[in-house]
């Protein structure tokens, strides 16, 4: 029994010594490059109802930093060797703040670390919150999880007790890149307008709001333009029909809508399919094998039998969780519509069958038919959308926590 009591006291003290760290992204886990990421980090010394004695807890320091981790498939991508010996030695030292310690791949982008506090004392039941703000770099890649490469963004919060190893809390988030934002200069009259020096943070939030409004305006202008794009569909035998689409620039979350007209075709179309695809290609100098094939991902697909159909249409949604087109020095991602057509060599594709003189004439499909197949690709452009809208379907949580 004495041993049991001693064991219970040790466990009780261990529970009391745990400090809760909670990080919350107030606006959601999706941001545009160039925006300000704001995260509130709360440190709590919980007061347990079963505790017989409670004491203050000390944290030596806490720091936060944003980094982008890059990982490539060894079977598809040939990267030059990197000298990471110095970094590896630091990563093994548990008293040095290395945000990407233990992560796969390479850290290709990071912001300067910011110290949240030094020598924090928390009484039982006490909590203290700190606000971390950082502008996301505009020259980084977007978040992307492809078949060949991955770009992953995280906010890492490191904290340490006295004479204890560093504990890391990682907050994953998504970054969308809209080209052209970094080249925009705000009007000079706004820059020289009178401002209150005691409201610098408020001014920063106003500028961030202007950036979001500008992005929304640029996206609206780019994706609202409509003009008739008409394409003739034909093979070696002749014309199959026409395809009509009113725009080729979209935002993620929009629907790609197109129509077919087979009434003017000389060759009957039996079946067609349309796939919304991304094409992930590795730049030539980083390909594992020369001339290796590109990787395709299907995001939506429409298939239809269309014999004797004069007109038809399709609507393919662009997922909010998908990545807009982009290019880096290693990988390129492009969007396209992939069409496949099955046509017949017969003029009508049917035959008449008369049962007897008293029976009505009936139409039936032929049992065998000679067919041809061919495909066609139409490139389209896919841009980001409002990050708040993309946050609704994000796989990441706005709140992450750890106990130390």
């Amino acid at each position: 029994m004495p041993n049991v009591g001693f064991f219970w006291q040790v466990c009780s003290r261990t529970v009391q010594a745990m400090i809760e760290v909670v990080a919350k992204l107030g606006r959601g886990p999706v941001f545009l490059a160039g925006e300000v990421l704001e995260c509130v980090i709360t440190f709590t010394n919980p007061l347990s109802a079963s505790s017989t004695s409670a004491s203050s807890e000390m944290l030596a320091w806490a720091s936060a930093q944003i980094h982008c981790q890059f990982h490539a498939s060894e079977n598809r991508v040939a990267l030059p060797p990197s000298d990471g010996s110095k970094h590896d030695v630091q990563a093994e030292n548990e008293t040095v703040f290395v945000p990407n310690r233990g992560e796969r791949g390479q850290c290709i982008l990071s912001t300067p670390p910011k110290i949240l506090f030094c020598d924090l004392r928390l009484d039982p039941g006490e909590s203290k919150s700190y606000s971390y703000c950082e502008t996301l770099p505009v020259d980084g890649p977007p978040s992307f999880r492809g078949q060949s490469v991955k770009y992953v963004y995280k906010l890492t919060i490191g904290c340490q007790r006295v004479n204890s190893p560093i504990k890391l809390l990682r907050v994953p988030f998504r970054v969308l890149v809209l080209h052209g934002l970094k080249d925009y200069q705000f009007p000079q009259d706004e820059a020289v307008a009178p401002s209150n020096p005691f409201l610098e943070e408020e001014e920063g939030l106003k500028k961030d709001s202007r950036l979001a409004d500008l992005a929304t305006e640029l996206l609206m202008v780019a994706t609202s333009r409509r003009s008739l794009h008409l394409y003739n569909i034909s093979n070696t035998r002749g014309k199959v029909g026409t395809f009509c689409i009113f725009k080729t620039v979209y935002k993620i979350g929009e629907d790609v809508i197109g129509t077919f007209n087979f009434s003017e075709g000389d060759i009957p179309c039996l079946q067609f399919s349309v796939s919304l695809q991304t094409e992930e290609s590795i730049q030539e100098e980083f390909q594992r094998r020369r001339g290796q094939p590109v990787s395709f991902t299907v995001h939506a697909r429409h298939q239809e039998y269309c014999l004797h159909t004069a007109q038809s249409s399709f609507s393919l949604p662009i997922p909010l969780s998908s990545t807009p087109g982009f290019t880096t020095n290693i990988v390129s991602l492009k969007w396209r519509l992939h069409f496949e057509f099955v046509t017949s060599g017969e003029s009508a594709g049917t035959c008449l069958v008369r049962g007897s003189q008293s029976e009505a004439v009936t139409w039936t499909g032929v049992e065998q038919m000679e067919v041809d197949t061919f495909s066609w690709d139409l490139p389209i452009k896919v841009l980001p959308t409002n990050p708040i809208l993309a946050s609704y379907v994000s796989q990441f949580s706005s709140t992450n926590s750890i106990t130390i």
Side-chain angles (χ1 to χ4, degrees):
M1 288 299 295
N3 291 336
V4 175
F6 175 76
F7 177 76
W8 181 86
Q9 292 179 4
V10 171
C11 292
S12 176
R13 291 178 181 177
T14 303
V15 172
Q16 292 177 26
M18 301 302 283
I19 294 180
E20 296 177 354
V21 184
V22 179
K24 183 176 182 180
L25 299 171
R27 206 199 63 185
V30 183
F31 300 86
L32 280 172
E35 281 192 300
V36 175
L37 179 147
E38 183 176 2
C39 181
V40 177
I41 304 113
T42 303
F43 300 83
T44 304
N45 180 10
L47 180 60
S48 175
S50 60
S51 300
T52 56
S53 61
S55 60
S56 299
E57 297 294 336
M58 286 288 299
L59 286 176
W61 58 266
S63 184
Q65 185 178 10
I66 292 172
H67 65 97
C68 177
Q69 202 74 7
F70 167 76
H71 179 261
S73 169
E74 297 181 355
N75 297 328
R76 299 171 182 262
V77 184
L79 296 176
S82 60
D83 184 15
S85 57
K86 181 178 179 180
H87 175 77
D88 292 339
V89 171
Q90 289 184 345
E92 293 176 359
N93 188 348
E94 294 186 348
T95 61
V96 177
F97 178 45
V98 181
N100 61 326
R101 176 188 290 123
E103 300 235 279
R104 299 176 61 189
Q106 305 174 9
C107 180
I108 61 170
L109 181 150
S110 62
T111 60
K114 291 185 177 180
I115 297 177
L116 301 177
F117 62 79
C118 291
D119 297 330
L120 173 65
R121 177 184 295 273
L122 291 174
D123 293 329
E126 184 181 9
S127 295
K128 286 192 177 180
S129 298
Y130 299 85
S131 178
Y132 170 84
C133 294
E134 183 63 79
T135 301
L136 297 173
V138 296
D139 54 353
S143 298
F144 177 62
R145 291 181 177 271
Q147 300 183 38
S148 300
V149 303
K150 294 180 176 64
Y151 293 104
V152 181
Y153 282 84
K154 294 181 181 180
L155 164 64
T156 300
I157 299 136
C159 46
Q160 184 181 26
R161 289 174 176 269
V162 179
N163 299 324
S164 299
I166 295 176
K167 298 296 183 180
L168 301 179
L169 170 59
R170 292 192 171 100
V171 182
F173 61 94
R174 182 185 178 191
V175 173
L176 301 173
V177 175
L178 178 59
H179 299 287
L181 274 183
K182 65 179 180 180
D183 301 325
Y184 181 80
Q185 299 293 330
F186 288 103
Q188 292 298 320
D189 56 347
E190 294 184 10
V192 299
S195 60
N196 189 332
F198 299 100
L199 299 177
E200 294 182 0
E201 182 176 351
E202 181 178 347
E203 292 297 324
L205 293 177
K206 287 183 179 179
K207 183 177 180 180
D208 191 44
S209 176
R210 293 199 302 269
L211 186 70
D213 293 340
L214 171 64
T216 302
E217 182 180 349
L218 292 177
L219 289 170
M220 182 66 66
V221 171
T223 58
S224 62
R225 297 171 182 168
R226 293 178 178 270
S227 60
L228 178 63
H229 297 78
L230 195 63
Y231 302 90
N232 289 322
I233 307 169
S234 60
N235 61 7
T236 56
R237 292 185 175 183
K239 184 177 180 180
V240 178
T242 58
F243 172 68
C244 174
I245 193 170
F246 284 95
K247 69 174 188 174
T248 57
V249 181
Y250 302 87
K251 296 178 294 186
I252 56 174
E254 286 190 308
D255 293 336
V256 180
I257 301 175
T259 59
F260 294 97
N261 186 348
F262 298 110
S263 62
E264 301 177 355
D266 303 321
I267 308 299
C269 185
L270 307 178
Q271 176 184 320
F272 73 87
S273 66
V274 188
S275 299
L276 179 63
Q277 299 179 346
T278 48
E279 174 185 334
E280 179 186 351
S281 58
I282 303 301
Q283 308 294 357
E284 186 176 354
E285 60 268 31
F286 294 105
Q287 292 181 2
R288 176 64 66 179
R289 299 177 301 278
R290 183 176 297 274
Q292 70 185 29
V294 299
S295 304
F296 295 100
T297 300
V298 178
H299 298 274
R301 188 172 186 267
H302 175 88
Q303 180 175 312
E304 185 175 327
Y305 296 98
C306 56
L307 181 60
H308 300 305
T309 300
Q311 294 182 340
S312 185
S313 63
F314 67 87
S315 177
L316 299 177
I318 304 175
L320 277 170
S321 58
S322 60
T323 302
F326 73 95
T327 300
T328 67
N329 63 322
I330 297 177
V331 66
S332 173
L333 186 74
K334 298 178 181 180
W335 285 78
R336 71 178 190 177
L337 292 175
H338 178 70
F339 300 84
E340 294 182 357
F341 300 94
V342 180
T343 60
S344 169
E346 305 289 338
S347 59
T350 57
C351 62
L352 284 174
V353 178
R354 186 182 297 274
S356 64
Q357 297 294 331
S358 61
E359 294 180 352
V361 177
T362 59
W363 292 83
T364 63
V366 295
E367 295 182 359
Q368 293 183 348
M369 182 179 296
E370 183 180 346
V371 298
D372 293 323
T373 61
F374 65 97
S375 61
W376 170 51
D377 296 321
L378 176 63
I380 63 173
K381 191 173 183 179
V382 176
L383 302 177
T385 189
N386 189 317
I388 298 178
L389 182 63
S391 295
Y392 293 136
V393 297
S394 177
Q395 62 176 333
F396 300 133
S397 173
S398 297
T399 304
N400 295 265
S401 62
I402 191 176
T403 56
I404 60 175

